[in-house]
């Protein structure tokens, strides 16, 4: 059990891949059994507690939040999962990132921004790099659609692109590094579009699509990077 916990904590993305596959497969069923899915995450979270794996526990909580918010339209209980996780005395950027999605669906942009700043300033940018890229994209698209926050969104987008480039360099030529780079190329395309440069934006997105087509792993986890 200790060895299992250590493997998840040394490679936090493993917990994400495991739990994401569970809810994604369930969503493809003709009649998804979300109650059973949530119970499975609860059981896996108990295992994580017993094994002492905080990263797996965070991944389970995050997966429960996604099911509650995105599939059951129950944002209150999704936020309750986040609050319960933090009440245990443990914090995780993954929970903040999951809550950003909930807050944006509730149109609570200010709270999403607060959480985003906390993630950006509080932890190593290499941790959950891809999940960060996805959350950043969601926040920026929300801001870009708000007229009184448009300029702030454009400035933030420019900083995000530079931040993403730094992450790519830090991760070198790894699977996650390449995937993160593709995600931030999408953000660059969004930035160019918002700046009124449609030709450059289209060219950037075309390059992204080409890279995705040639990417070694064609699984769902790859394409979720540009879902939003």
């Amino acid at each position: 059990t200790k060895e299992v916990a250590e493997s998840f904590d040394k490679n936090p993305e493993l917990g994400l891949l495991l739990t994401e596959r569970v809810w994604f497969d369930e969503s493809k069923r003709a009649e998804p059994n979300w109650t059973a899915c949530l119970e499975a995450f609860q059981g896996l979270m108990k295992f994580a507690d017993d094994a002492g794996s905080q990263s797996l526990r965070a991944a389970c909580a995050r997966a429960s939040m996604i099911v509650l918010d995105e599939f059951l339209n129950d944002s209150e209980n999704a936020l309750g999962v986040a609050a319960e996780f933090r009440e245990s005395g443990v914090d995780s950027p993954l929970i903040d990132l999951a809550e950003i999605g909930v807050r944006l669906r509730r149109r609570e942009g200010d709270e999403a921004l607060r959480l985003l700043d906390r993630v950006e300033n509080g932890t190593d940018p290499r941790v959950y790099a891809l999940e960060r890229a996805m959350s950043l994209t969601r926040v920026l698209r929300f801001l870009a659609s708000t007229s009184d926050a448009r300029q702030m969104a454009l400035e933030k987008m420019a900083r995000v692109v530079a931040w993403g480039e730094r992450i790519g360099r830090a991760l070198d030529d790894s699977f996650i590094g390449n995937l993160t780079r593709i995600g931030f190329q999408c953000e660059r395309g969004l930035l160019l579009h918002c700046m009124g440069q449609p030709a450059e934006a289209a060219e950037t997105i075309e390059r992204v699509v080409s890279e995705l087509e040639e990417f070694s792993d064609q699984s769902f986890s790859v394409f979720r990077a540009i879902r939003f």
Side-chain angles (χ1 to χ4, degrees):
T1 301
K2 181 180 178 181
E3 288 77 10
V4 173
E6 289 177 350
S7 67
F8 277 107
D9 290 338
K10 288 179 180 178
N11 302 280
E13 283 78 10
L14 289 178
L16 280 180
L17 293 173
L18 172 64
T19 54
E20 188 166 273
R21 178 55 61 185
V22 173
W23 65 254
F24 175 69
D25 286 348
E26 191 66 34
S27 72
K28 293 302 180 184
R29 296 180 182 273
E31 296 183 5
N33 187 340
W34 293 119
T35 299
C37 187
L38 290 169
E39 288 175 351
F41 289 140
Q42 285 295 321
L44 191 56
M45 190 177 296
K46 184 179 185 306
F47 169 81
D49 282 334
D50 293 342
S53 174
Q54 295 302 331
S55 63
L56 180 57
R57 183 168 176 266
C60 293
R62 174 252 192 189
S64 296
M65 292 172 69
I66 289 175
V67 169
L68 288 165
D69 182 48
E70 298 188 21
F71 294 101
L72 297 177
N73 199 29
D74 187 355
S75 63
E76 287 297 331
N77 275 322
L79 292 175
V81 171
E84 183 178 352
F85 183 92
R86 296 186 183 109
E87 285 171 3
S88 67
V90 179
D91 213 346
S92 168
L94 196 58
I95 301 304
D96 292 336
L97 292 167
E99 186 173 338
I100 286 172
V102 179
R103 295 294 182 182
L104 289 178
R105 279 171 55 86
R106 290 163 62 102
R107 308 297 293 176
E108 298 174 358
D110 289 344
E111 187 63 19
L113 270 176
R114 182 190 69 78
L115 289 163
L116 181 59
D117 286 339
R118 176 168 134 156
V119 171
E120 284 191 65
N121 297 323
T123 54
D124 187 333
R126 292 170 294 181
V127 179
Y128 303 120
L130 181 56
E131 196 70 14
R132 289 168 185 255
M134 292 160 54
S135 293
L136 286 165
T137 301
R138 298 181 75 177
V139 171
L140 294 173
R141 288 194 180 189
F142 175 85
L143 290 175
S145 68
T146 307
S147 59
D148 59 355
R150 179 176 174 78
Q151 186 57 39
M152 178 179 65
L154 292 176
E155 293 173 358
K156 184 80 170 177
M157 284 180 191
R159 296 200 336 249
V160 163
V161 169
W163 182 66
E165 291 170 348
R166 291 198 299 273
I167 290 177
R169 288 195 296 270
L171 294 171
D172 298 321
D173 191 28
S174 64
F175 172 85
I176 294 298
N178 288 328
L179 197 53
T180 301
R181 178 177 51 77
I182 291 173
F184 278 109
Q185 282 184 354
C186 285
E187 292 190 18
R188 181 177 291 280
L190 175 61
L191 173 61
L192 291 168
H193 172 73
C194 291
M195 293 175 64
Q197 301 178 36
E200 291 85 348
E203 182 180 341
T204 300
I205 297 301
E206 184 177 352
R207 286 199 303 270
V208 169
V209 171
S210 177
E211 288 201 45
L212 281 174
E213 289 176 345
E214 298 175 0
F215 201 80
S216 58
D217 184 351
Q218 295 294 309
S219 70
F220 169 76
S221 297
V222 172
F223 296 102
R224 191 167 188 265
I226 59 171
R227 183 175 72 165
F228 303 103

